[in-house]
Structure formats: structure tokens, C-alpha cells
Amino acid sequence: MDRWVGKVAVVTGASSGIGQNIAQELAERGMTVVGVARRAELVEELAKKLSGSKGKLHALKADIGNEEDVVKAFEWIRKNIGSVHVLVNNAGIAPYTFLSKLERSDYKKIRGCFDVNVMGLIMCSNEAIKLMKEKGIDDGHIFNVNSVAGHYIGNMPGFFPYTASKFAVTVITEGLRRELAEAKSKIRVTSVSPGLVDTNIGAPSGIPNFEEMVANAPCLKSEDITRSLIHALTAPPDVQIAEIMVRPVGEQF
Ligand SMILES: NC(=O)c1ccc[n+]([C@@H]2O[C@H](COP(=O)([O-])OP(=O)(O)OC[C@H]3O[C@@H](n4cnc5c(N)ncnc54)[C@H](OP(=O)(O)O)[C@@H]3O)[C@@H](O)[C@H]2O)c1
């Protein structure tokens, strides 16, 4: 971890669940972390708790599905923090919708899912790479928090738009890796694909009985995902861990 101490990590979706845990762990291990979320006050609360730690957490309010917000966020980072070495594209939503019986109100939910899970990830990656290049950083690392759903089409009625968005993440991650390799860049790209994790993702998604599902199914904790991310981050600079799939033992889907 030594080579990342004092370096800058931007974590999207740092107000809850997996992103919150990643932001905390990276700050505790000595990185300067910018935690991005719409509910920046929750990131601010965590930042206060971490005030005595080795690194520092900054809260930054942004809707990463919104182009203006993303551009402004990276401008703020450029001006106030200076650079970015690690980007964790973690923010994501999983609307519960049925393709065969959509209401018009569902269109907005599905568009929102693609705006955040796909376009947000594309825009943040692009802004981060631009800033890395401007600052002469050619050994950065981009993480995309993907999903098991990004790799195969499970029998998950209600989650096919989400599955489609995560398949897009798989393609974009590999596409970015190939383009960076073509350009002889040393920036690494890693997709981290969790199975079921006990977080708050069920609430905004409208997933019925999510808590019950989590209570009754094998389930990971956010820390399990963070541990895998740290494993890839701390691999030797010429080793690129391109994909990590983390599932709870006994997962059925
Ligand atoms: N939990 C699982 O079982 C599971 C499994 C596989 C993959 N994943 C993936 O893991 C990632 C994190 O999810 P989680 O389970 O930790 O869910 P979570 O607890 O609901 O956290 C989601 C985070 O995303 C942020 N977010 C959502 N929309 C945003 C927007 N428009 N702009 C900025 N931030 C936004 C939320 O912050 P604000 O609401 O404050 O903006 C929150 O911090 C997602 O990409 C998800 O697809 C989760």
C-alpha cells in the first residue's frame, strides 16, 4: 500500500454500502479520498469520524448521472485537491422493473439506471484520465464496481435493465483496458463483480423484501469487496488484475 499513501482516490457513491466502506478503508490506509455522492452530508459525517486517521476524506456533492455535475466535480478536484491517482466507479442503482409490463414512469427509472451505472462511469473515467494525463500520472488505477449480473443473464425477473447496464460495464471496462494498452499507458483498469452484498441498495430500487432476501440468502459484507479492491490496488505496478468476481459461498443464482 506504501506507494498509494498520500495519493488521491475518488470514490463515487461514498455515502452508503460498498463505496462508503472503500472510502473509509482507503482513507485509513493513508490516501486522500474524495467521496462523491448526492447525500454528501453522509460522507461529511464519515469524514469527521475519520479525522484522526492516516489519510483524509473529503465530501463532494454530485449527481454522477448528470454531465454538468461530473465536469464540475472534477474541476473542484483539480483546483482543491490537485490530481487523481485512483478512481473507484462504484455509484449504482438497480431499479426493479418488468420489461414486459412497463409503466411510463418506469422509463425514467431505467434511464436513470443507465445514466448512473453506465454514463456516470464513462464520464468519471474520462474526466479522471484527462486529469491524470494533465498531471503526468501514468500509473493510475480505475476500478469499476460491476456485478455478477454483468457476466451472465441469471433468472432475475425485475433486474434485466440492471443486468443490461452491468453487461455494458463489462464491455466498457475491457474496452478501456485495450485502448489504454494501445496507447502504451500504465493506467490499470479492474472490474470488481460482487454477488449479493448486504447494503442499502434495495431501498432506492423499490426491491420488495430485499431485507428478507439478504437475511435468508448467503450474503457478503461491503468489507469483502473492499478487501478484493485493495488486493488489486496493491498488486505490483506491472500486474493488472482485470476482473475479480466475489460471491458468498453457496450463492444460488
Ligand atoms: N449490494 C449488492 O448486492 C450488489 C451486488 C453487485 C453489485 N453491486 C454494485 O455495488 C455498487 C454499490 O452499491 P451498494 O450495494 O453499495 O448500494 P447502496 O448502499 O445503495 O449505495 C449506492 C451508492 O451509490 C450512490 N449513488 C446512487 N446514485 C447516484 C448518483 N446519481 N450520483 C452519485 N451517487 C449516486 C449512492 O449515493 P447517494 O444516494 O447519496 O447519491 C450510494 O452512495 C453499485 O454499482 C451496485 O450495482 C451491489
Side-chain angles (χ1 to χ4, degrees), residues 143 151 190-194 228-229 231-232 241-246:
F143 288 91
H151 298 274
T190 299
S191 156
V192 182
S193 297
S228 294
L229 181 140
H231 170 67
I241 298 178
E243 174 63 48
I244 303 179
M245 190 177 283
V246 196

Side-chain angles (χ1 to χ4, degrees), residues 74-75 77-79 82-84 126-138 187:
F74 278 87
E75 268 169 19
I77 291 163
R78 184 173 176 274
K79 276 192 197 136
S83 58
V84 56
N126 189 50
E127 294 301 320
I129 289 169
K130 273 199 291 186
L131 189 50
M132 284 178 193
K133 281 185 183 158
E134 182 191 322
K135 300 293 174 181
I137 296 161
D138 194 39
I187 297 171

Side-chain angles (χ1 to χ4, degrees), residues 69-243:
D69 270 25
V70 171
V71 170
K72 274 191 201 151
F74 278 87
E75 268 169 19
W76 184 90
I77 291 163
R78 184 173 176 274
K79 276 192 197 136
N80 295 283
I81 311 288
S83 58
V84 56
H85 301 84
V86 175
L87 169 67
V88 183
N89 283 311
N90 161 80
I93 46 177
Y96 188 64
T97 50
F98 289 83
L99 290 168
S100 56
K101 45 182 180 184
L102 294 172
E103 303 288 338
R104 281 190 66 183
S105 57
D106 291 324
Y107 296 168
K108 195 174 171 194
K109 288 189 206 163
I110 295 173
R111 196 176 295 119
C113 168
F114 279 86
D115 280 348
V116 175
N117 298 11
V118 182
M119 280 310 300
L121 174 146
I122 288 175
M123 294 188 293
C124 289
S125 301
N126 189 50
E127 294 301 320
I129 289 169
K130 273 199 291 186
L131 189 50
M132 284 178 193
K133 281 185 183 158
E134 182 191 322
K135 300 293 174 181
I137 296 161
D138 194 39
D139 59 352
H141 202 144
I142 296 175
F143 288 91
N144 291 334
V145 179
N146 194 341
S147 171
V148 165
H151 298 274
Y152 83 106
I153 306 170
N155 185 24
M156 294 196 288
F159 293 104
F160 293 121
Y162 174 73
T163 299
S165 78
K166 291 300 187 180
F167 262 68
V169 171
T170 299
V171 176
I172 290 158
T173 307
E174 177 59 10
L176 185 57
R177 188 195 69 76
R178 289 188 193 188
E179 286 189 19
L180 289 167
E182 181 83 21
K184 308 263 180 276
S185 170
K186 298 278 189 287
I187 297 171
R188 300 184 296 184
V189 189
T190 299
S191 156
V192 182
S193 297
L196 189 63
V197 189
D198 184 4
T199 68
N200 297 315
I201 198 163
S205 311
I207 304 170
N209 310 323
F210 184 74
E211 280 172 19
E212 202 183 311
M213 193 167 108
V214 163
N216 293 317
C219 203
L220 298 164
K221 293 190 168 55
S222 294
E223 300 89 282
D224 300 319
I225 310 308
T226 304
R227 204 176 300 115
S228 294
L229 181 140
I230 298 282
H231 170 67
L233 183 64
T234 55
D238 57 343
V239 174
Q240 173 155 240
I241 298 178
E243 174 63 48

